Amino acid sequence: MTKDIRLAFAHPSERSEAMDDASDPCDRISLRDHVVEVEIGAFQVERGATQRVRFNVVVELRPIPAPLDDDVDRVLSYDTITDAIATELAAERLNLLETLAERIAQRLLSEPQPTRVFVRIEKLDRGPGALGVEIVRSRVADLTPVSDVVASGLQPTLLFLSNEAIAAAELPRWLDKLEATGAPVILCVGPADGDAPQSKSRQAQRRIDLLATEQNAWVLAGRDKRCVVTNTRTEIEWAMKHGQISVWAPSKIVLDAVDGPSADPSDAVALSLWFAEELDAGRIVVIGAKVPGEVTRPVQVLSCDLASTAL
C-alpha cells in the first residue's frame, strides 16, 4: 500500500501531520468519532428520517506566542468544533455532505487561530460501510467569515403581493419607492388564481402548493426585469448585498428548514410572515391581502389603491 493510499483512509490527523511543513510547524486540536443523528441527503428516502453521521475534524492552529498560563480563554476550545457542526446542522436541511463539510470548514476558519482545517463526514446507515467525504481547507488572506442572512446585519423589506397587486399597473412605481429606501427588497407571492391539482397525500399536496407559488413568482419576475427569482439562502444573501430585488421561490427553503413553518403552504401570507422571521425583516408590507390573526412583528397592510401613496 502506497503512502498516499494509506493516508487517504487514515484519520485526518495523520493526513495533517503528513502535510505539515517542518519549517513552520503548527499546533492541532481534533474531534474524533463525533456521531450525530440528523436528517440529510438528496434522495427522497432520506427525507423525513434521521440517520447517523460521524464527524472527524482536525484544526491546525497558529502557535500562541505568549505563555498560556493555563488560561482556557487563550486557546481554541473543542466546543468551537462541536458548535460549528451543530450550528450548520441547525441552519437548514442539506442534501450533500460536501456542502456541510465546506460550511463547517469555513466557520472554523473564520476564527482567529485556525490556519487549516480537515473535515471528514460519513453516513453510517446508508450502506454496509461508512459513506463519506473529506475536505481540506486553508485560510486565505481575504477570507470572509461564514455568515447567513440574519448574521449579515442586513434587514430587508419583505413585500407580499396579492395576485391583484402583481397585475397592478403601479407595480414598477412601488418598486421604485422601495428601492429608494436603500433597504434590500424581497417579494413574496401566493399561487395564481384557479384550482390547483389535488392529492390525497399531504406531502405531495405540500409540494404541489409550493410549486404553484413558484410558478407565480416567475409571473411576477416577468413583470419587471429588476425582479429575480431566488430559491436558496445563498442567492438571497447575494441579492441583498448587491441591491437586487428577489422574488422568493419557497420550495427549497421550506422543505429544507430544520424547524419548518407551521403554516400550510397554501396560506401564502402566513408562509411569507414565517420567512420574514427567518430573515429578521426590518419591514413587512402586505398589499391586497389579509394577514393571519396572530403576528409576531408589525405588518403594514395596504390596499392596491393606497399602496402608491403609503409605501
Side-chain angles (χ1 to χ4, degrees):
M1 180 182 295
T2 68
K3 181 180 179 181
D4 287 345
I5 294 175
R6 184 184 65 78
L7 287 174
F9 290 93
H11 187 271
S13 60
E14 293 187 50
R15 187 175 174 187
S16 171
E17 291 170 5
M19 296 174 66
D20 199 3
D21 182 354
S23 64
D24 186 21
C26 61
D27 299 336
R28 300 181 184 89
I29 66 169
S30 64
L31 174 72
R32 290 175 179 259
D33 299 331
H34 178 62
V35 179
V36 180
E37 290 266 353
V38 61
E39 182 185 341
I40 191 169
F43 293 96
Q44 188 60 39
V45 70
E46 295 177 290
R47 289 191 174 273
T50 60
Q51 56 184 300
R52 292 176 303 149
V53 177
R54 181 168 62 201
F55 297 84
N56 283 280
V57 181
V58 175
V59 183
E60 294 185 346
L61 309 167
R62 295 190 182 96
I64 299 174
L68 282 177
D69 297 326
D70 203 32
D71 185 354
V72 69
D73 291 333
R74 293 183 56 79
V75 299
L76 187 75
S77 170
Y78 302 108
D79 290 341
T80 303
I81 302 178
T82 55
D83 287 348
I85 294 170
T87 298
E88 295 306 329
L89 289 176
E92 63 176 318
R93 184 197 180 283
L94 295 175
N95 291 325
L96 301 178
L97 293 182
E98 288 86 348
T99 304
L100 179 58
E102 186 73 40
R103 292 185 181 182
I104 291 169
Q106 288 182 10
R107 186 169 290 275
L108 290 171
L109 287 169
S110 71
E111 296 289 331
Q113 269 192 281
T115 59
R116 188 164 58 179
V117 176
F118 298 73
V119 180
R120 175 184 290 173
I121 309 178
E122 298 165 297
K123 294 180 180 180
L124 303 181
D125 300 325
R126 285 291 291 160
L131 309 176
V133 301
E134 181 174 321
I135 68 170
V136 183
R137 295 294 183 268
S138 300
R139 178 183 296 278
V140 294
D142 61 347
L143 179 71
T144 300
V146 71
S147 65
D148 55 24
V149 175
V150 175
S152 69
L154 297 172
Q155 287 192 297
T157 294
L158 186 140
L159 176 66
F160 178 86
L161 296 166
S162 67
N163 290 329
E164 180 186 1
I166 292 173
E170 295 82 4
L171 176 64
R173 288 193 289 275
W174 299 342
L175 298 181
D176 290 341
K177 285 195 170 187
L178 291 174
E179 279 191 312
T181 67
V185 179
I186 298 174
L187 307 179
C188 295
V189 300
D193 294 329
D195 295 331
Q198 298 297 308
S199 171
K200 293 181 180 179
S201 166
R202 183 177 179 182
Q203 184 178 17
Q205 190 60 51
R206 189 179 187 215
R207 286 179 173 271
I208 290 169
D209 291 336
L210 289 169
L211 290 172
T213 295
E214 295 196 354
Q215 288 178 320
N216 217 19
W218 284 102
V219 172
L220 173 57
R223 289 287 328 275
D224 192 299
K225 65 181 181 181
R226 291 172 291 181
C227 303
V228 177
V229 176
T230 54
N231 62 8
T232 67
R233 290 180 178 271
T234 300
E235 288 179 306
I236 291 169
E237 184 169 5
W238 187 93
M240 288 170 62
K241 290 178 178 178
H242 292 84
Q244 180 185 87
I245 298 176
S246 293
V247 184
W248 182 42
S251 290
K252 178 171 175 54
I253 289 176
V254 170
L255 294 173
D256 289 352
V258 175
D259 295 314
S262 57
D264 191 285
S266 62
D267 188 344
V269 176
L271 190 66
S272 299
L273 294 179
W274 168 82
F275 191 47
E277 287 287 341
E278 292 290 298
L279 297 177
D280 190 26
R283 181 185 180 193
I284 306 171
V285 183
V286 174
I287 299 180
K290 296 180 180 180
V291 300
E294 296 183 4
V295 294
T296 57
R297 57 178 63 201
V299 179
Q300 185 179 11
V301 182
L302 304 173
S303 68
C304 292
D305 293 336
L306 296 178
S308 294
T309 56
L311 277 175

